[in-house]
Structure formats: structure tokens, C-alpha cells
Amino acid sequence: MPRDSLSLGLRQAALRLEATLRERAGQVPERVDEATIAADYPGRDWIVAAWRICVVFSDGVTRRIDLVAGAQFPTTPVRTALVDHPEPMTWPHVESDGILCLLPNMAEWDPDNPSEVAMDLLNRSVRLVEELLDGSIIERDFREEFVTYWGYKVHSRGESLFSLISPGPPSRLVRVWRGKGIEVVGEDQELLVDWVHRRFGHTVPAKTEAAAFLWLDTPLLPDEYPETAADLYSLAERMGKDAKSALEQAASREPDEVLALLGAIGRGGAALIGAKVFNPKRRKGRPRAPDEPLSIGFRPGHTPQPLLFGRFFKAVPVVRTLVQRCDADWVHGRGQDFRTNRLLRAMVVVVGCGSVGAPVACALAQAGAGRIVLVDPEALSWPNVGRHPLGAADVGRNKAEALAERLRTDYPHLTIEHRAFGLRQLISHDSDLLAGADLIVAATGNWVAESALNRWHVRQERAHPIVYGWTEAHACAGHAVAIGKEEGCLQCHIGRTGTPDLTVVEWPNRGDLYQEEPACGAHYQPYGPVELGYITAMIAETALDCLLDPPEQSFGRVLVASKRRIVASGGCLTKKWRSEFGEGDGGVRTVDRPWPAVGCAACAPGSLDEVA
């Protein structure tokens, strides 16, 4: 980009940067011309300006460092480059054209003081080069960030190579499924096929082949990266019996290609890289004649193994590739969320898949609840769509079935089921499902059904918690009640007709809070998904709390909308709420409250004999 076409803001920032460099670096920076920029930084079309200074390092050598700027400078920071850099992959943090990798993707910087940012980066660059000259960080950083540096020398970016494997020892034989433009690696045939069918449907063919997973005790250095099939085989031999056996088993049936995933612990945890070895008979796209397999000279299946593997793992180039992890531990927290393993073992039944229950179910799936059973007898209708995770494509379908299908596709590592009937039928015909759940979430909005569930829960001696969730009028408040093991059932603070003993908002200037469609008995409340989102998030949080730490004592949790929205809707806080919890500061707030036993008709002594 010609300098006279640069923006005024960039030219002004450039002059200030030059003045700072003269003052702080003690030298006049050289303006790098366009031809030099193009020659030194091919492929970096974003660079529109650069300044070069000279630095004398501790080894007595003077090296040049460039500060390079893009067209958005000064709203984006400059970068630095070591002009006099060694061969690529000699030093970590130095890219092939000398650009230095210093700022992480979440780094904070001051766009209003670009010159100071540039000086800070320059100082960091000098310190980095000094550390590289010292040599103390070279091997450590290459190993800790091995996926990054493997990525500099890959032949494939791995956009369609996915791994369900949880990286860790030992080296072992695994399976790979190859679909149209996609490869997925899993621990075994059953788990892999199950994932494929959940993700793509049961009509998809699910033939799998053997692949190798090689666990490295120490990540590879760049000069250890396998260039050929023979290099990969030698690496497996050095790694030990398990690695060699896995690679050989993957090649034993003479497949068209062998995929090997290599795992190791780097900075931030376990990671994967990949290498592919193509059958030599397919080399350069010229396959041998059908009568010339690698086993030529022997009856099928009788080729001596050393000879077969010697023929397969020859000096043919490997294809190095990146790998995208899609295992549950990675999906739910990038391997760093201590809750994941526990949640994956949990089973949740969500009763009611409407505008409250469905978002809660989605949140629990995103959190990693391993098995979720969705229960709802009703079909999705057009007025549901405006505040439901499902949309027009599912109108007319059973809510539980359609939502289960969606979640199975989105989270194929989870088990998502549905029951297309109501809560009373679930209690009478599938109570073992309820009894086996680690948590039940009830969001039916139906007091008759939920009071029946409450009495069933009491009779079952409350082995596991239930979370009941509902909204008040216009979604100005939402409630979650967690019924624990010891005391306090749902009806303890809800009357026999379903009226809670504490409401947050009252409506002195409104009559009927519900509006009616032009049909008999079709009542509704006209609130939308945004205000409802606060409530469903609170109910989901309560459910997650109960999964991770099942409560002994029952408790209630209440979300109160902002005063501004309550007033705009025509409501105000009730006197009882204000006396117990005050007016608040006017913003959205969440309050926990006790839910003690009061000897209600459902849980008082002798009530267990009553019919639910």
C-alpha cells in the first residue's frame, strides 16, 4: 500500500512512534520500503508499514528488529520481527519469516497509547532473543507447545479430523470412521459407531478401520518429527512394545492408509497430533495391479509380518496433520473443568420441555450431563417458537422427541432420550426411570402433575433431589425449589391448589394477568425469551448445584427482575417479599431462602398412605 494512501490516523501514529523510538531506543529508526516489506514478509499482505532498528545482544552480535504495522494501526498493535533470524524451527516463538509470537490472543493493550505498547513489545522481543541465545527455553518451549510447532510443518490443518479419544497412556489400537470429507477416531467400534449415528443419523454407514494411538512420554522436538513412514515406525519402536504393536496392527490388513494419532502432555494439558501413512501401492496415485499387493509372493494372510511391515513402512513421506479433539472432556471445559467427569456420570430426567424446561435441558447438555431423559406429552406449536430452543422446522412434533433429536446431534457423546407422555404416566409406568435419576427437574407448570411427583418423591424417601422451576407473571420473577434428602417437600410452602406462600411481584393496577387466545381456555403470558433467559439460567444453575453437591436440606432460589422492568410491566414488590428481603438495589438479583418442613398434607406422618 503506497504511503500516501495510508490513513491520516495511521500516519500520525507512525510519526509519534518514530519519535518515541528515537527518544527511548536512542537511534533513528529506518523506514522500511514497500519492496523490502514484500520481500521479507511474503504472504503478510496486512503489513503496510515497518520500522527497523538495530540491537546489540549479549553475544556481541548486532541484530535488526522490525516493528510492523497493519492498516488498522493504531487501533491494532504493531508486531515485532527478528530480521536476522535463524533457520525456521530453530528457535521457538520465531516464525519462518522472523515474526515473533509474543502476545496471547486474550492480551490486553492500550489502543490510545500505541507508542508505549510498541516499546513494551520491543523490550519483550529483546528479552526473548536473549533467552533464546542463552538456550534455556528452547527445548522446554518446543516441547510444551508442541502442537503449535507441529502445526508449522503439517501438510493438513486437520479441519475434518476429529478425535473422541481422551489422550492418555497407554499406546493402543483404536478405530477410525471415514465419512464424506470427515474422519473420526474413537476408542472402539461400539463407541465410535454410536457417536456417528447420534451425530449423522442411523442411515449413515458406520464401517470403521483400525488406527493407532501412540502415547509420547515427552513431546517431540522439531528435528524428531517423522518425515517418512520408516521414521514413524522407528519412533513407535523407540516408544516401546505397545506403540509398535498398535502401529503394526493398524497396518496388518494392508489398508489404503494408516492413521496414527500421537498424544502427549504439553502446556495446559494433553493434546494430539496426527500422521498418515499411505499404502505404498497407492504412491503418487499409481496403484499397483490387483495381483501386486504388499503380500505378493505369499498366500493371502501368510506374509511374514516383518516383511509386510517392512514393505508398508518404507521411505514414503508421511502426511503430518493437526487433530481436533471432540471428546467430552475437551468439549466441556477444554480438559480443565474438574466437574466434567462427575457430570458425565450423571443421569437427569427433565419433565416438561416447554419454554422453561427446554432451555434448562439445553444448559445441562452443554454442561455435560451424561444422560438426559426428556419428558413431555405435547407438540410444539407456532406460539411456542418465540421463546423455545426449537423453531419452525419442529412445529407439530412432540417437544421431547424433537429436542432430544436436536441435542443428540449437537452433543453426540451424550445419551439423550425422550418419553412422549406426561408426568403421571411416567410415575405409573416408568417409575424406575425416575428412581434411578441423579436429579429430576420438573418444569411442567402443572400443579396437579407436580404435586403427584412430590408425593411420589416423599414415598421414595427422597433418595435424590428434585428441582421444581416456574415463573411468576410476565417473567418478573422466577423460582427454583430444590427438595433435598432430609426435610421439606414441595407442598410445605405451596398450598393445596398450587399457590406459593411467597410471591415476589403483585399487580395492583391489573386485573387478569393472563391473556387469552381467540379460543376457549387458551391462556398465556406475553413475555419474551430475553427476560425468561434470566430465570431459566437460574433454574439450570440450581440443577447443576444439586448434581454436583446434592442438598441435604431443601431450599428455594428466587430470581427477581430489575425494578425498572417490574414497574414497566405494571407490578411492584409484594409487602411480604419486601419485609423478608428488602427492596434491593433496583437491579436483577438472586436470593436463596430456606424451605423447611411444616408438616404439610404431603409429608406429615401418616400422609404416605394417601393416594398421589
Side-chain angles (χ1 to χ4, degrees), residues 156-162 177 180-184 276 322 324:
S156 168
R157 304 304 299 177
E159 291 91 346
S160 58
L161 175 56
F162 305 143
W177 171 80
K180 187 176 181 180
I182 184 175
E183 295 175 286
V184 185
K276 294 182 179 182
L322 293 177
Q324 295 190 56

Side-chain angles (χ1 to χ4, degrees), residues 89 146 149-150 153 220-227 231 320:
M89 302 295 281
F146 73 99
Y149 298 108
W150 177 267
K153 299 192 71 175
L220 299 176
L221 294 172
D223 60 5
E224 298 171 330
Y225 296 169
E227 299 285 345
D231 292 339
R320 290 185 299 270

Side-chain angles (χ1 to χ4, degrees), residues 233 237 244-255 294-295 298-313:
Y233 188 79
E237 284 185 311
K244 180 185 176 187
S245 174
L247 194 60
E248 289 178 343
Q249 288 182 71
S252 62
R253 294 183 178 271
E254 302 183 46
L294 294 180
S295 55
F298 297 89
R299 288 183 294 128
H302 289 76
T303 307
Q305 295 288 283
L307 178 60
L308 176 64
F309 299 139
R311 290 174 173 177
F312 200 105
F313 296 103

Side-chain angles (χ1 to χ4, degrees), residues 20 23 41 129 187 241 283 464 471 496 524 597:
T20 301
E23 177 184 350
Y41 306 106
V129 174
E187 289 287 356
K241 180 180 177 181
R283 190 178 181 188
H464 300 292
T471 68
R496 287 176 179 264
Y524 67 96

Side-chain angles (χ1 to χ4, degrees), residues 597-610:
V598 296
C600 73
C603 68
S607 65
L608 298 182
D609 297 328
E610 296 182 19

Side-chain angles (χ1 to χ4, degrees), residues 53 87 249 349 370 507:
I53 66 169
E87 289 296 314
Q249 288 182 71
V349 176
W507 310 87

